[in-house]
Amino acid sequence: MIKVTVMYPYTEGARFDHDYYRDRHMPMVKARLGDACAYYTVDKGMDGGVPGTSPAFVAMCAFICGSIEGFQAAMQAHGAEVRGDIANYTDIVPVIQISEVVVERSDR
């Protein structure tokens, strides 16, 4: 199992439409990924490590996928559409990381 994390660094004065991201962009991406993505999460940055400071990231999402090959195949087919929608909610260039999930639930 892999996790694809897309992070949007906090930048003073940058534009990020959280409603559009949550309600339109992310469901569209999930639909394009199809069965390659089991589920996704969306995070909205609130605060930095020190109270009252800006968060490191204004928003993040994670796609939980069965394999890197499945994710890459889906993005090969639909990546242009996904990337093209970014301008509708932000002017921030995202940082992307693909990780192997070694623990999914800590309650076991």
Side-chain angles (χ1 to χ4, degrees):
M1 181 181 310
I2 65 154
K3 177 169 72 169
V4 179
T5 307
V6 183
M7 302 164 281
Y8 295 87
Y10 176 85
T11 306
E12 187 68 37
R15 176 182 64 83
F16 197 96
D17 183 338
H18 288 277
D19 293 336
Y20 184 96
Y21 186 61
R22 179 192 64 230
D23 299 336
R24 298 195 57 193
H25 180 76
M26 292 301 294
M28 180 270 292
V29 176
K30 171 62 174 108
R32 299 309 180 267
L33 291 175
D35 292 340
C37 176
Y39 64 93
Y40 67 86
T41 64
V42 175
D43 298 355
K44 180 178 181 180
M46 295 174 54
D47 211 354
V50 175
T53 62
S54 299
F57 299 96
V58 67
M60 298 187 302
C61 74
F63 298 98
I64 306 303
C65 302
S67 71
I68 193 168
E69 295 83 9
F71 172 78
Q72 289 174 336
M75 286 303 289
Q76 178 72 26
H78 301 288
E81 179 183 7
V82 169
R83 288 186 299 276
D85 192 50
I86 293 173
N88 289 322
Y89 62 88
T90 192
D91 52 8
I92 301 170
V93 176
V95 175
I96 300 170
Q97 176 168 310
I98 299 176
S99 306
E100 177 186 8
V101 176
V102 295
V103 175
E104 184 179 13
R105 294 180 60 153
S106 62
D107 61 344
R108 293 186 183 167

